Amino acid sequence: MVVGVHRPTQLVIDRQALRHNIQSEVSRLKAGCELFMVVKANGYGHGAAQVARVAKEAGASGFCVAILDEALELRAAGFNEPILVLGVTNPADAPLMAAQHISATVAATDWLEEAEHYLALRSAGEPLRVHLGLDTGMGRIGFRTPAELKTATDFIGDHAAALTFEGIFTHFSTADDPDDTYFKGQVAKWHELVDTLAQRPRYVHVSNSATSLWHDECNDNLVRFGAAGYGLNPSGWAIPQTPYQLEPAMSLTSELVYTKRLQAGQSVSYGATYTAQQDEWVGTVPIGYADGYERRLQGFHVLVDGHVCEIIGRVCMDQMMVRLPHDYPRGTRVTLVGQDGDQQITLQDVADYCDTIHYEVACGFTSRVPRHYIN
Ligand SMILES: *Cc1c(COP(=O)(O)O)cnc(C)c1O
């Protein structure tokens, strides 16, 4: 999709907010504990390379991504730090990952066997660095028994030219829940597995944002820091207390491109689902569901000149209409996410209205919306 640089709709990313969140986290980690910034899905929509640059300045020593292409994007942008791919990759890409010093998540021994086959075909080259994923209750990927784990570590030990045991980790499914019953069960399962290792690898890690914010005694020597780095509370509203103020980095702004006086009885947008009860001013905003601004947001609101203005009628693919308190000049700023005067709309507010989580809203803005970096 082309980037809409000639349209006034943009995501504004505040680097200072990113810096504040990441620095605050780095400064509370125990000595010897590192932070890898999670920049999967284009840095949760904020721009992967831009976020990585700020994260590095703020004290991150590496990065996590979801897929190999995201790791290659960072390498192409000149980052030399460790990068861990959190998802399952294709074993045929093992030589590529090894050559690029990209670490692979491994969840099964047959993956190692297949990767070793491809790595053995090389005439020379460094071993592939692997992090063994343990499934302690997330139920997504990973080894689940000490026997499975031992088979994997033995295989790596027997194939040192191809494979290096660089890390071991697990992922918690309820670290953002005020009820820590299930969390504790996962911690116990983690120890049942990890404590059987004859030798600990370089990186031992369990913490996403929620774990590091609220269960930092579990951190070990690496934190995989995502949502909170972007200033988003990983629990939504569930646990409002955080060790430091989280500053949201993402705002979404546009402008009124057209205004009109609607007569009582006249309707707006597809399906004519909204009809004015009285004469009123209406503005058109150039954003729609093709930008990731969901159609379900009909009835939600934006800020115009510090006023809360309702989105009336259906959100179209590229445009939508809002009810104004009075007429405004074309070019008046519209805030869809962020602060205007003493009013604020957060990604959490948008997510609540759409019955989802801020993670989905943030990474749902499409590439048509330009990212503009400030501070
Ligand atoms: C996405 C992800 C993270 C980051 O989670 P946040 O809640 O955004 O901090 C950490 N670890 C794994 C395995 C992930 O998939």
Side-chain angles (χ1 to χ4, degrees):
M1 213 185 295
V2 295
V3 181
V5 296
H6 295 92
R7 175 181 71 161
T9 301
Q10 55 175 358
L11 285 161
V12 179
I13 311 299
D14 183 351
R15 289 198 195 90
Q16 181 49 34
L18 294 168
R19 213 174 281 128
H20 159 83
N21 301 321
I22 300 164
Q23 269 171 359
S24 300
E25 187 62 23
V26 168
S27 67
R28 56 186 287 280
L29 297 178
K30 287 208 193 79
C33 181
E34 297 181 37
L35 182 148
F36 282 11
M37 186 66 189
V38 182
V39 294
K40 60 194 181 191
N42 195 29
Y44 294 39
H46 296 64
Q50 294 278 358
V51 171
R53 207 158 289 130
V54 177
K56 191 173 149 176
E57 287 164 22
S61 54
F63 307 104
C64 296
V65 294
I67 66 174
L68 174 55
D69 305 85
E70 294 171 341
L72 295 172
E73 181 194 8
L74 293 180
R75 285 285 178 261
F79 292 96
N80 299 315
E81 288 72 20
I83 302 175
L84 171 62
V85 179
L86 296 167
V88 178
T89 45
N90 183 345
D93 288 325
L96 172 60
M97 286 189 276
Q100 295 280 325
H101 306 298
I102 292 166
S103 306
T105 287
V106 173
T109 298
D110 65 349
W111 191 99
L112 288 171
E113 290 165 357
E114 209 177 316
E116 195 277 332
H117 161 79
Y118 288 105
L119 290 159
L121 298 175
R122 305 176 302 174
S123 52
E126 282 188 38
L128 172 68
R129 303 162 194 198
V130 302
H131 290 226
L132 299 182
L134 304 184
D135 181 4
T136 58
M138 175 70 184
R140 193 162 63 181
I141 52 172
F143 298 92
R144 292 182 294 169
T145 66
E148 283 176 5
L149 178 56
K150 181 159 191 317
T151 309
T153 52
D154 286 352
F155 186 88
I156 297 168
D158 292 343
H159 297 88
L163 301 163
T164 296
F165 184 24
E166 185 187 53
I168 192 161
F169 74 101
T170 194
H171 193 49
F172 295 126
S173 57
T174 64
D176 58 348
D177 191 329
D179 178 350
D180 64 1
T181 314
Y182 194 85
F183 178 84
K184 283 180 173 156
Q186 278 199 262
V187 172
K189 189 86 201 291
W190 161 251
H191 283 293
E192 271 170 39
L193 291 165
V194 82
D195 294 351
T196 64
L197 287 181
Q199 214 175 353
R200 279 166 54 96
R202 163 90 176 75
Y203 296 109
V204 180
H205 49 112
V206 302
S207 294
N208 55 0
S209 296
T211 309
S212 192
L213 290 175
W214 298 304
H215 307 276
D216 57 357
E217 69 285 356
C218 299
N219 279 355
D220 216 304
N221 65 15
L222 177 61
V223 170
R224 307 182 303 266
F225 201 55
Y230 301 96
L232 303 171
N233 183 320
S235 76
W237 302 105
I239 312 180
Q241 308 84 352
T242 50
Y244 47 90
Q245 180 84 31
L246 296 177
E247 291 178 11
M250 178 184 278
S251 305
L252 175 62
T253 62
S254 187
E255 291 177 3
L256 295 176
V257 289
Y258 179 80
T259 62
K260 63 174 171 288
R261 181 96 170 142
L262 204 64
Q263 311 294 310
Q266 292 181 327
S267 295
V268 162
S269 198
Y270 289 116
T273 60
Y274 177 85
T275 303
Q277 298 304 306
Q278 64 228 344
D279 293 4
E280 59 197 20
W281 285 96
V282 172
T284 299
V285 187
I287 187 171
Y289 57 79
D291 300 295
Y293 198 79
E294 294 214 7
R295 190 167 174 276
R296 278 182 288 181
L297 286 160
Q298 173 170 2
F300 190 60
H301 54 270
V302 302
L303 304 175
V304 180
D305 190 33
H307 292 278
V308 175
C309 298
E310 186 185 332
I311 299 166
I312 57 172
R314 297 239 166 96
V315 173
C316 309
M317 189 184 289
D318 323 292
Q319 306 180 69
M320 64 179 199
M321 277 60 79
V322 300
R323 188 173 53 236
L324 302 171
H326 53 79
D327 194 17
Y328 282 104
R330 180 158 45 84
T332 299
R333 181 214 285 268
V334 177
T335 301
L336 298 99
V337 174
Q339 186 108 27
D340 182 7
D342 50 15
Q343 296 288 340
Q344 192 186 16
I345 299 171
T346 63
L347 283 175
Q348 182 67 45
D349 296 330
V350 176
D352 288 347
Y353 194 86
C354 291
D355 204 12
T356 183
I357 55 174
H358 50 56
Y359 292 77
E360 190 180 10
V361 178
C363 69
F365 294 120
T366 63
S367 59
R368 194 167 75 173
V369 185
R371 274 70 172 164
H372 177 65
Y373 295 87
I374 59 168
N375 298 325

